[in-house]
């Protein structure tokens, strides 16, 4: 892995070098025992994948999201996620980590996926991480020998003309913003984020708290 990273960097020192994990790119904890120890400047980036059924840390069952209290499972999941991948963003040799693939059933019928997504949103927003969502397409012309197969994880519906998940725009609004900017000279600010809806709290003209767009709540911190 180290040799491959160095070979890519030598060929083109301007590109980012992404390091993937094991077990469908869900486990990077082996790097605790044997770190890469390579010097390619700020071009080293790690990536990981995550779904409700892949588990986080020692939590491997999808049904655990409905069998135990969400706050408890989310806290344990975040702890496991830091153990398997998030640790790479901490310490003296911290490096960027991108969630290059995660997804959920965008029909909204999976309680497990809905709860998993809410927990993951909290993690991504809190760390201001970049991410990639599976998938955009509403379906497939041919898949597995079948014709016109629906993709329930797709952003678009099966006709490719509307969002499959009605709350998609609000749900992901804060995750598409730059929340933390290390080059900013602005003062710190806190954001009260409600991941279930994707909205942020704000004070209205009556000096009351209410949920709304995160745009005006967007501050560097």
């Amino acid at each position: 892995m180290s040799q491959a990273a160095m070979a890519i960097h030598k060929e083109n020192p301007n590109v980012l070098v992404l390091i993937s994990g094991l077990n469908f790119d869900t486990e990077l904890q082996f790097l605790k025992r044997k770190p890469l120890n390579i010097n390619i400047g700020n071009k080293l980036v790690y990536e990981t994948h995550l779904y409700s059924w892949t588990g986080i840390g020692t939590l491997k069952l999808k049904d655990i999201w409905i069998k135990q209290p969400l706050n408890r499972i989310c806290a344990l999941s975040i702890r496991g996620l830091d153990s398997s991948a998030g640790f790479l963003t901490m310490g003296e040799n911290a490096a960027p980590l991108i969630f290059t693939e995660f997804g959920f059933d965008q029909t909204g019928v999976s309680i497990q996926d809905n709860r998993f997504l809410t927990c993951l949103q909290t993690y991504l927003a809190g760390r201001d991480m970049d991410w990639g969502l599976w998938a955009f397409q509403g379906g497939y012309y041919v898949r597995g020998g079948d014709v016109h197969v629906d993709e329930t994880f797709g952003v678009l519906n099966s006709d490719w003309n509307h969002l499959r998940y009605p709350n998609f725009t609000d749900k992901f609004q804060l995750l598409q913003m730059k929340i933390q900017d290390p080059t900013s000279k602005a003062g710190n600010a806190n954001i009260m984020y409600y991941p279930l809806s994707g909205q942020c709290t704000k004070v209205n003209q009556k000096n009351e708290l209410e949920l709304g767009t995160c745009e005006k709540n967007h501050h560097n911190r």
Side-chain angles (χ1 to χ4, degrees), residues 51-53 102-108 113-114 116-117 133-135 152-154 165 168 171-172:
Y51 290 88
S52 61
W53 64 82
F102 75 92
F104 65 103
D105 186 341
Q106 298 205 31
T107 63
D113 276 7
N114 293 341
F116 158 78
L117 177 62
L133 180 68
W134 179 274
T152 58
F153 278 47
Y165 191 70
F168 185 90
K171 192 79 167 172
F172 286 89

Side-chain angles (χ1 to χ4, degrees), residues 80-153:
L81 185 53
D82 275 338
S83 177
S84 64
F87 70 93
L88 293 164
T89 66
M90 309 171 190
E92 295 182 1
N93 298 316
L97 174 68
I98 302 176
F99 278 76
T100 51
E101 185 182 318
F102 75 92
F104 65 103
D105 186 341
Q106 298 205 31
T107 63
V109 300
S110 172
I111 298 176
Q112 295 97 321
D113 276 7
N114 293 341
R115 293 184 174 182
F116 158 78
L117 177 62
T118 299
C119 181
L120 183 58
Q121 282 177 263
T122 303
Y123 188 86
L124 294 177
R127 308 296 177 89
D128 195 21
M129 288 185 169
D130 288 333
W131 48 273
L133 180 68
W134 179 274
F136 181 76
Q137 71 273 13
Y140 307 87
Y141 292 119
V142 178
R143 189 182 194 188
D146 296 324
V147 179
H148 298 305
V149 179
D150 192 24
E151 173 55 87
T152 58
F153 278 47

Side-chain angles (χ1 to χ4, degrees), residues 104 114 117-125 131 165-177 179 191-202 210-218:
F104 65 103
N114 293 341
L117 177 62
T118 299
C119 181
L120 183 58
Q121 282 177 263
T122 303
Y123 188 86
L124 294 177
W131 48 273
Y165 191 70
N167 194 35
F168 185 90
T169 303
D170 284 340
K171 192 79 167 172
F172 286 89
Q173 59 172 312
L174 184 63
L175 299 185
Q176 297 181 67
M177 300 177 184
I179 306 173
I191 299 174
M192 295 182 66
Y193 177 52
Y194 189 60
L196 192 61
S197 67
Q199 296 175 308
C200 296
T201 57
K202 60 180 181 179
E210 64 181 16
L211 288 173
T213 177
C214 294
E215 190 65 35
K216 293 183 179 180
N217 292 273
H218 179 209

Side-chain angles (χ1 to χ4, degrees), residues 20-30 48-49 57 60 84-85:
S20 301
L22 303 176
N23 191 20
F24 299 97
D25 198 11
T26 61
E27 298 177 359
L28 287 155
Q29 60 264 44
F30 64 91
T48 188
H49 294 177
K60 297 298 183 183
S84 64

